Amino acid sequence: MSNLPLPNAQLSALSGDAFTLDHLQVGAQGKIAGIQADPDLKQRLAALGLRAGSKVHVLRKAVFGGPVHVRVGTTEVIMRLKEAKRIVAVPMMDGSASPANKP
Amino acid sequence: MKKIVLIGMPNTGKSTLLNRLTGAHAKVGNWPGLTVSLLSARLLVGDQMAQLIDLPGIYDLSGYSEDERVVTTYLETQKPDLILFMMNASQVDRQLTLLSQVTSQGIPVVMVMNMADEASALGITIKADVLRQTLGIPVCLLSAKYGLGTEQLQKFMREGLKAEPAKALSPLEVEAAFTSGVMVPAQASHQLTERIDKVLLHPWLGLPIFFAVMLLLFEGVFAIGKPLQDGMTWLLAIFRTEALEPLLSGLPSLAQGLLLDGLYNGIGTVASFVPLIILFFLFLGMVEDTGYLSRAAFLMDALMSKFGLDGRSFVMLLMGFGCNVPALLGTRVIRSKGLRYLTMLTIPFSLCSARLQVFVLFIAAMFTTQQAPWVLFSLYVVSILMAMLTSVLFKKQYVNVDAFVLEMPPYRLPTLRQMVLKGWQEVRHFLSRTTRFIMLGVLLIWVLTNFPQGVAAGSVETWAGHVSHWLSPLLKPLGINEQLTIALVFGFVAKEVVIGALAVIYGHEGQALMDAIVQNMDWISAYSFMLFALIYTPCVSTIATIRNETKSWAFTALSVAWPLCVAWLVSFAFYQSAQFIRVHFF
């Protein structure tokens, strides 16, 4: 899914190319389109920087269905797949959102 | 006295700042109406004494987690005079909502942007003046870990105690202020952390490295702690023979026994834990402050979540193999109450170093050198199995309601000062809270094993002997005789006391004691006894710690009764089936 042609993240959100975070591949980046969770978890995720509109980068997934490790802004967060399923993200091509996104 | 509180998200360095400002004077204490103990210390601000209080880290003031309730209750009932709002300067974007809520409390606020060193290493520019002007509150950049910027904070606190309450700021106002006051480069990440994580969180290397690290730390605690603990015991013994015994020789023998074997041994039991607790917290501090504890949680979670636990529980369980007491104290890093209680219920099953001493003696007496390592290994396996079994059975009672969403901090170098201070605080807390309970337990056992008057201590004629006699219908089917039962009663004080008790009961020591054991039982009884000694009631220090950490007698009773039942069932199953096989097949 990382090679999906996505000219515009906004457009793809409308066209429905959204995945839950657990389905994003390692190395992929996405823009959070929405979070479907109870207010408590939503608040907690927001406090860690995970809210609609933020850009999230999947760094790695633990073996045997363990947690997923993501970066959002300057914060790194780990969460179980159960929680990752609550976050809907639209995959972005590398650099499509920020021109400075180079090593 | 004026009250200054620290409020901020978890891992923003609140307690580090408190320790930095107040040195070794910080104390953990209870507050009326609050379920948790808080760290606090007195601090001279200008010319007046103030109290600085560290509130639990929270994500939101309008939330309903236990920690959030503690903070809101505190703010309502204690009416602090000044709030120090702690921020991680390198992650400002996600802390703005909380700042807006904090300014709406009608209390003066000083904003402390901690880890300013990390932020500047990431290329983040913070214009404190711009923030100060737009937010209307003082802004202090500092590094609590290295003590940079604390003079400025002193000045702000002095002014803050006389200041008007902060003007309530809307989330939009806060965001606007930070947009103009903080510049974050588009690509800001901790390069070194990324490189280290590539290795330490490697899909296949991660776990083996984790186990190697744990083994190394464990060996470290053991290698340094054991001689220290022995040294402490030696010092206490010298003091007893050289000072106390001559001093008390004029007293009747019963009073001597009470003071020396009852009271003084009680003190000794408490004191012998001190080196282990200091060391444990040094090592735990290393694992936690470097950021590796979150990595351990990441690596072990897939497995541990099946048992209702998480990776941090696993680290504590492992530490329990050294000593259960500090492992129980260490569960404080787990903020979810259900998960913490479940972890605390499993830790007493960890085969601690005290139990190891008993097993080493029994195994050396009953088994050949070839068999010995396997017998010991089997006991470790039983220990882990029982912990996991307990967790599976109780995970419905102690549900982990908190979602597993953890911040993964960048790797950091812990400072020695920080770790030593933490270790010292824990020891003081342990001593002040559990000493009385442990002394009572030790005294009780002394009375049981020395009364009625005139009988030989530890013999079957004592009250402990009577208790063992009543218990014998229960323990006979496990192959445990009355002498061993008395030893188990002693083992309630501390598991290593079992050996001393057997020495008294059989009237032999060292090799002669091992011979006596061989004469009095076969290997099946011995193994059944070891299984029972491994699993049954935790020692009095462990119980005291559980009681003090949970403040719940019901939970403490459960953590005593449950292992006792399991111990009986496991020993019974083993002894009866082993006897059956021996009778019918050999």
Side-chain angles (χ1 to χ4, degrees):
Chain A
M1 53 195 102
S2 60
N3 53 12
L4 274 177
L6 288 172
N8 183 317
Q10 286 292 318
L11 187 74
S12 65
L14 294 169
S15 65
D17 284 339
F19 296 87
T20 53
L21 196 54
D22 56 313
H23 281 106
L24 279 193
Q25 273 178 359
V26 172
Q29 301 195 35
K31 193 170 200 148
I32 297 180
I35 294 174
Q36 288 146 3
D38 57 83
D40 265 12
L41 178 56
K42 223 168 164 166
Q43 211 171 52
R44 176 94 173 270
L45 291 170
L48 288 165
L50 292 150
R51 55 188 104 194
S54 34
K55 200 177 92 177
V56 53
H57 184 176
V58 180
L59 297 176
R60 59 177 57 79
K61 289 175 180 172
V63 287
F64 309 123
V68 43
H69 181 182
V70 301
R71 176 159 59 224
V72 48
T74 47
T75 308
E76 291 185 16
V77 176
I78 57 173
M79 67 183 93
R80 285 190 181 148
L81 297 182
K82 191 177 142 222
E83 277 81 34
K85 280 188 205 308
R86 307 248 156 228
I87 301 171
V88 180
V90 177
M92 310 191 309
M93 292 297 287
D94 267 0
S96 67
S98 113
N101 195 357
K102 277 195 219 84
Chain B
M1 191 164 33
K2 298 265 187 184
K3 288 198 273 281
I4 304 175
V5 287
L6 287 158
I7 295 184
M9 288 200 179
N11 313 315
T12 45
K14 294 189 301 318
S15 43
T16 311
L17 179 65
L18 188 132
N19 282 332
R20 171 57 70 183
L21 293 176
T22 63
H25 308 295
K27 271 199 190 108
V28 183
N30 292 332
W31 291 80
L34 297 188
T35 45
V36 298
S37 336
L38 301 176
L39 188 70
S40 70
R42 281 158 181 238
L43 174 69
L44 195 63
V45 180
D47 54 0
Q48 61 180 324
M49 202 44 115
Q51 192 178 23
L52 189 59
I53 303 116
D54 180 19
L55 293 177
I58 50 163
Y59 290 112
D60 201 290
L61 261 181
S62 63
Y64 297 95
S65 82
E66 208 189 332
D67 285 342
E68 283 155 6
R69 267 199 306 270
V70 168
V71 174
T72 45
T73 312
Y74 184 92
L75 290 179
E76 275 162 28
T77 58
Q78 302 290 324
K79 304 256 182 286
D81 303 280
L82 177 65
I83 295 177
L84 299 186
F85 179 66
M86 288 288 282
M87 245 186 166
N88 178 340
S90 63
Q91 304 173 340
V92 286
D93 50 335
R94 61 189 188 82
Q95 299 166 87
L96 304 182
T97 316
L98 187 57
L99 172 61
S100 150
Q101 290 166 343
V102 164
T103 55
S104 317
Q105 300 298 314
I107 297 167
V109 176
V110 170
M111 192 164 91
V112 181
M113 300 187 76
N114 191 20
M115 306 182 202
D117 49 329
E118 265 181 31
S120 74
L122 280 174
I124 296 172
T125 323
I126 299 168
K127 296 176 191 150
D129 294 338
V130 175
L131 286 176
R132 199 172 309 158
Q133 275 158 20
T134 45
L135 293 169
I137 53 176
V139 175
C140 177
L141 282 178
L142 63 72
S143 161
K145 193 165 131 185
Y146 298 106
L148 306 169
T150 48
E151 296 86 5
Q152 195 191 24
L153 180 60
Q154 262 285 347
K155 177 172 159 275
F156 286 157
M157 282 194 289
R158 257 193 329 267
E159 293 164 2
L161 283 177
K162 295 179 199 118
E164 296 288 307
K167 182 171 90 68
L169 297 163
S170 73
L172 282 177
E173 285 174 297
V174 173
E175 214 167 305
F178 275 83
T179 314
S180 55
V182 179
M183 314 295 154
V184 184
Q187 179 75 1
S189 63
H190 298 267
Q191 309 262 320
L192 185 63
T193 292
E194 265 178 54
R195 249 176 280 157
I196 299 174
D197 272 344
K198 281 218 168 80
V199 181
L200 294 188
L201 297 182
H202 187 274
W204 303 115
L205 291 176
L207 275 175
I209 293 175
F210 167 69
F211 282 109
V213 168
M214 286 297 120
L215 193 72
L216 215 69
L217 286 182
F218 187 63
E219 283 288 312
V221 172
F222 218 59
I224 307 170
K226 194 78 185 64
L228 283 178
Q229 206 177 11
D230 290 347
M232 185 72 100
T233 315
W234 179 77
L235 274 178
L236 286 164
I238 294 267
F239 185 67
R240 179 183 168 140
T241 50
E242 297 301 315
L244 286 179
E245 278 175 6
L247 195 73
L248 300 174
S249 59
L251 291 174
S253 66
L254 191 68
Q256 269 189 44
L258 174 72
L259 289 172
L260 288 173
D261 295 326
L263 220 56
Y264 189 67
N265 274 2
I267 297 170
T269 307
V270 178
S272 67
F273 277 99
V274 171
L276 271 182
I277 292 181
I278 296 181
L279 270 177
F280 175 86
F281 273 94
L282 278 180
F283 283 96
L284 184 68
M286 243 152 70
V287 175
E288 201 186 342
D289 296 346
T290 52
Y292 194 58
L293 191 63
S294 310
R295 269 84 187 170
F298 176 80
L299 291 167
M300 287 303 296
D301 194 66
L303 180 64
M304 298 310 284
S305 64
K306 300 209 173 29
F307 298 104
L309 300 171
D310 80 5
R312 292 167 299 173
S313 320
F314 186 78
V315 174
M316 298 312 148
L317 264 177
L318 277 185
M319 286 297 167
F321 284 116
C323 176
N324 293 177
V325 171
L328 287 165
L329 296 173
T331 58
R332 269 186 227 145
V333 295
I334 302 170
R335 296 310 310 177
S336 155
K337 192 177 163 191
L339 179 59
R340 187 172 176 220
Y341 275 38
L342 192 61
T343 308
M344 289 176 59
L345 203 57
T346 58
I347 285 174
F349 291 103
S350 292
L351 195 165
C352 66
S353 56
R355 275 170 263 190
L356 183 65
Q357 291 177 35
V358 180
F359 300 151
V360 166
L361 178 101
F362 266 77
I363 292 171
M366 300 304 282
F367 297 93
T368 66
T369 329
Q370 282 81 37
Q371 292 164 334
W374 294 104
V375 177
L376 188 60
F377 180 72
S378 72
L379 289 168
Y380 275 107
V381 172
V382 171
S383 159
I384 293 168
L385 279 179
M386 290 306 122
M388 293 300 117
L389 175 81
T390 299
S391 184
V392 168
L393 289 176
F394 284 92
K395 74 175 177 186
K396 292 258 152 49
Q397 268 71 48
Y398 298 100
V399 185
N400 178 15
V401 285
D402 274 22
F404 185 84
V405 183
L406 290 180
E407 190 197 333
M408 191 82 112
Y411 288 104
R412 297 181 175 124
L413 266 181
T415 62
L416 189 64
R417 179 195 146 96
Q418 209 177 327
M419 290 194 300
V420 169
L421 266 178
K422 212 162 160 184
W424 167 236
Q425 269 161 15
E426 290 301 337
V427 166
R428 221 168 38 171
H429 186 55
F430 170 78
L431 290 179
S432 69
R433 293 306 166 81
T434 49
T435 306
R436 214 170 23 168
F437 193 105
I438 296 173
M439 299 280 285
L440 268 174
V442 174
L443 270 175
L444 177 75
I445 298 300
W446 179 80
V447 169
L448 280 179
T449 49
N450 281 276
F451 280 81
Q453 267 182 284
V455 301
S459 68
V460 286
E461 284 87 37
T462 60
W463 287 339
H466 294 311
V467 172
S468 309
H469 189 68
W470 298 330
L471 290 176
S472 72
L474 267 177
L475 292 173
K476 269 260 155 58
L478 316 183
I480 297 173
N481 62 31
E482 282 181 32
Q483 281 94 347
L484 288 179
T485 309
I486 300 179
L488 287 174
V489 174
F490 274 106
F492 177 68
V493 171
K495 302 283 163 130
E496 64 263 43
V497 175
V498 168
I499 300 173
L502 284 171
V504 174
I505 294 161
Y506 285 119
H508 295 293
E509 274 186 55
Q511 187 57 44
L513 175 61
M514 299 217 291
D515 294 340
I517 291 171
V518 176
Q519 279 158 25
N520 278 284
M521 69 190 88
D522 59 5
W523 76 268
I524 297 179
S525 299
Y527 195 78
S528 176
F529 174 79
M530 286 195 286
L531 282 176
F532 197 87
L534 167 64
I535 306 168
Y536 87 127
T537 310
C539 68
V540 66
S541 309
T542 300
I543 298 169
T545 308
I546 293 176
R547 156 78 194 124
N548 183 44
E549 290 298 306
T550 60
K551 312 258 184 284
S552 155
W553 283 112
F555 184 82
T556 310
L558 175 70
S559 62
V560 172
W562 166 248
L564 204 57
C565 296
V566 179
W568 192 87
L569 287 172
V570 170
S571 292
F572 180 81
F574 168 78
Y575 185 74
Q576 293 299 330
S577 48
Q579 287 292 4
F580 182 83
I581 292 169
R582 180 157 71 180
V583 171
H584 292 271
F585 297 96
F586 292 97

